Amino acid sequence: MADIKITVVKKLDNAELFGDTPPLEFTGAAACDRFEEGQVFISKEGQHPEGFCSWAYADIQRDLIHLRLGGDYPWFKEKGSILSSCTDGARPVIFKLERILS
């Protein structure tokens, strides 16, 4: 089975999502403070990469396993890749997952 390269593609903040009218008041950081755009992690043997947010890993794990087992997503031209995201509704992060053969 393959390992998976996880690249942080985009961090969204409250202003990008809601402008001046958020549906709920939010007092945390405007954007995720756990990741930086361009940051790369490798999931070896499907394991949680060191330093990777546990909540985000739980959100992308389904896509990670699908790629690891050789699956593809027909709506992406690049085989062995997908965009996946954490589900933080106030400050989501988008990741590119890529199957890498060891």
Side-chain angles (χ1 to χ4, degrees):
M1 284 186 251
D3 293 334
I4 303 297
K5 177 181 175 182
I6 306 167
T7 305
V8 180
V9 175
K10 179 80 174 163
K11 296 179 3 172
L12 298 168
D13 66 32
N14 289 323
E16 288 178 281
L17 295 170
F18 307 114
D20 293 331
T21 57
L24 291 172
E25 184 177 347
F26 184 70
T27 59
C32 177
D33 55 4
R34 299 289 305 270
F35 297 109
E36 294 301 324
E37 290 180 8
Q39 196 172 8
V40 174
F41 299 87
I42 303 294
S43 173
K44 293 187 178 285
E45 300 179 2
Q47 297 300 309
H48 178 223
E50 186 175 331
F52 197 89
C53 173
S54 297
W55 289 96
Y57 185 76
D59 288 335
I60 69 170
Q61 193 172 25
R62 176 193 64 216
D63 294 328
L64 188 143
I65 291 170
H66 183 73
L67 289 175
R68 230 185 132 235
L69 295 174
D72 287 313
Y73 294 88
W75 52 92
F76 286 100
K77 286 185 179 181
E78 190 176 328
K79 300 294 181 196
S81 298
I82 188 172
L83 293 176
S84 192
S85 64
C86 76
T87 57
D88 183 334
R91 52 190 194 166
V93 178
I94 300 169
F95 304 97
K96 180 179 181 183
L97 308 182
E98 300 172 85
R99 180 171 45 239
I100 52 176
L101 302 175
S102 2

